[in-house]
Amino acid sequence: MKFNSTKEAWNFWTVYGGHIGFDVRVNYENKSKIDGVITSARYICSNEGYGAKDKRDHKTRRPRAETRTGCKVRMGITIDREIGNYELHELHVEHNHVLQLHGTCHLMPSQRKISTLQAFEIETADDSGIVPKEAHELPSRQVGGPTNLGYTRRDHKNYLRTKRQRELIYGEAATMLKYFQDKKSENSAFEYDVQLDCDEKIANIFWDDARMIIDYAHFGDVVTFDTTFGTNKEYRPFGVFVGFNHFRETVIFGAALLYDETFDSFKWLFNTFLSVHNKRQPRTIFTDQDTAMGKAINAVFIEAWHGLCNFHIMQNAMKHLPQKKKDEDGPNVLAEFSACMYKYENAEAFEAAFTALRSKVDTQTWLDSIYKVKEKWARCFMRNAYTLGMRSTQLSESLNIDLKNHLKSDLDILRFFKHLERVVQGKRDNELNEEYESRKKVARVRIRTPAIIQASKVYTPRIFEDFQDEYERSISTYIKPSEEHNIYNVAIASLDPESTYEEESRVLVDHEEQQVSCSCGQFERLGILCCHALKALDVMNIKYLSSHYILKRWTREARSGTIQDSHGNIILEDPRVGDRLCLKFFIHKFHGIASKALVSEECSKLVDDALESLSKKVEEEASSTTCRNEATWEEPDGSLQTACLKKKEIQKKNSRRTKSWIEKQRPNKKKRKTTKLVPENQSCDRGEKDMPTTQHQATTEQPAGINENGLQEYGWMTRLLMINHTTSRSETIQNRRHTHLGENKDAHENNKVRQKFTSVLSHVEVAVRWRSGSLAVGRWAPRLQPPGQPPSSR
């Protein structure tokens, strides 16, 4: 045989070994010192030769099994300088060992190789959150079983581990910045920023993709911001800006990894957030009761109204205010506080109810602090606040729950970003589903009036349902003119037989401009006309809604229009959407051809030859043109290699779970009293921790309580004696660890001393207990003195 190159010869030897059933390896390859060309090579069976004697056989418990049998199978090739190819000059094919079966040949290392396409599929499955076991089973079924796949599950896991190690070879900071730069190269609208500390270490990180910038331009009027922990390996606070779209689905406006939750970190984050979004401030922002966050919002979002999360406030109320049980009599403080938060629409009524609430609580510290910010949570002070129905940071917390379902705290920073993309994409898929349903289904119209028909075509389904409910309520209202000009008093009648009415609302009308303004302020808060205003419009014979009463963010065309970035460029959500559609077309077409080619061997041969020639032409054409492939990993430049993340000091977790404050309120079960034994090298009292040993022995002869056996302890002698028999398992392990660290000599001496003290002090212990009257067993029992009498001379 003759081969054009050594690579061709090695590939033939590998295929031959897999066909026969033996593993192969390279014995040698000789290179010319003149031109560096390989002049000769030998490829052999992996069982060739004999293994060297293991010098550790007498120490190892499970020595490695022997695989060498001195097999003579080999193939040698030499170069022909005149022709330039390699020819066979040596060949042995007789094995002296058992060959592998056809069903086990795929497990040999020489037959296991992950191709480029398989590597792409492995990485895609990992980015999609599919575990390696399931990701390996899918391609195995596609090729007819694991024997035809070409690699094992262990190779699958090793490839992923090697890939992650290669990506993190220059550190997490360089990997993170390289990830951001790749996103920037894919779409120039991607924005990110980092904050460095005095040591040039990365402390805070913020990023925004093109879709987040577009979403904020359309729906960034009301924003919630919250931070959560435990979603990344460094336990950094993960902050996210969230809102809702015209379908009331969650949208993300930006994300950040912070080093800490201080005023400076929040101020930098908020300023960066505004700079990315063209300095456009939200009208309303909701957060929790974090003091540093609140100060930063007041310093940066000067045009926004800051509201507090009502859910967090109620949680704190349950923690600080007394709770009424079912079988108890008296005021329900929590119910009264909830009424102050949601019920009262008048400030005077709120003040009176809150004053009465204070008189029912002994400790008013928390009530005083929450009263100072009543404008941010009480309903009566939020009548004119533009909230769109939002009263809490529930959207942010819902996103955090989704993150914890998809993420683990042991993920490196690159895997954290990739898994976060999946969570964000899941939220965007929900919007696509809602868009599809809104275009497929016809809105359910209960009352066929001009305004309802107009709203069903303009509003999204969820907003239309809210508008239709308000319109139905407007039918059951009564209206009467006020003594003041152009003002109507409108009230809603209840459905009970007593015909009661809700509190009247004052509606100011303008007949020339055909505008109304209600005192309830629902349109100013939610962007939807209230029933009072709809009643006034009906009295004015206005049957259609004016354009200024239809908020664009609630309509089906809320995303219409183009958005520009901070540099004035039009933002495209996916500039490579054409390439992705082309790839989708090619994949479907290739799969169709491949399925048809399996009909006969002639068809398979035809497709194989066509693909081979097509592949060569594509490679030649691609090498001469600009590559538009996906961003691949390249070695970072010098600036990225010097980047470093500022590490947090992570506290070690205790083995016991931390109890919540609700669990702490429950009555504890009765536990058996136990005495904590103090080691001999520590003091018995916390205040005597640093006391010298001699002074400690002289001052610890007082009784130390009752132990678990009901016997009175008498100082360090008793403790020393009992430690010898009650050493805990953790202390035993610690002693063993000290022995391995070179302290076995001291431990041995201490054990000798302890044994001597035990033999002597055992008699002293019995005498002390007998003198105190605490020993009443065996032959000593009849000789104990009655209670209240001094002990005898014995």
Side-chain angles (χ1 to χ4, degrees), residues 642-693:
T642 57
C644 180
L645 279 176
K646 189 175 182 181
K647 299 294 183 179
K648 292 180 64 66
E649 296 181 359
I650 304 175
Q651 298 180 356
K652 295 183 179 179
K653 295 183 178 180
N654 297 327
S655 59
R656 295 183 178 179
R657 181 179 63 86
T658 304
K659 291 184 178 181
S660 62
W661 63 268
I662 297 180
E663 294 175 336
K664 293 179 180 179
Q665 303 298 324
R666 300 173 182 173
N668 297 329
K669 297 182 180 179
K670 295 184 179 180
K671 297 182 180 180
R672 187 177 181 180
K673 295 184 179 180
T674 58
T675 303
K676 184 177 179 181
L677 302 180
V678 182
E680 63 183 58
N681 57 350
Q682 295 184 5
S683 170
C684 297
D685 194 357
R686 293 182 178 179
E688 301 172 353
K689 183 176 181 180
D690 301 328
M691 188 179 296
T693 305

Side-chain angles (χ1 to χ4, degrees), residues 92-104:
H92 295 279
V93 293
E94 294 294 335
H95 295 271
N96 64 352
H97 56 87
V98 179
L99 300 179
Q100 294 289 342
L101 298 176
H102 177 71
T104 59

Side-chain angles (χ1 to χ4, degrees), residues 533-560:
L534 291 174
K535 184 67 174 182
L537 290 176
D538 185 64
V539 172
M540 297 167 62
N541 293 326
I542 300 175
K543 304 300 181 180
Y544 291 94
L545 300 177
S546 303
S547 59
H548 53 268
Y549 289 127
I550 301 177
L551 211 61
K552 182 184 177 181
R553 67 141 20 251
W554 294 135
T555 63
R556 298 174 182 266
E557 304 297 329
R559 288 190 174 275
S560 62

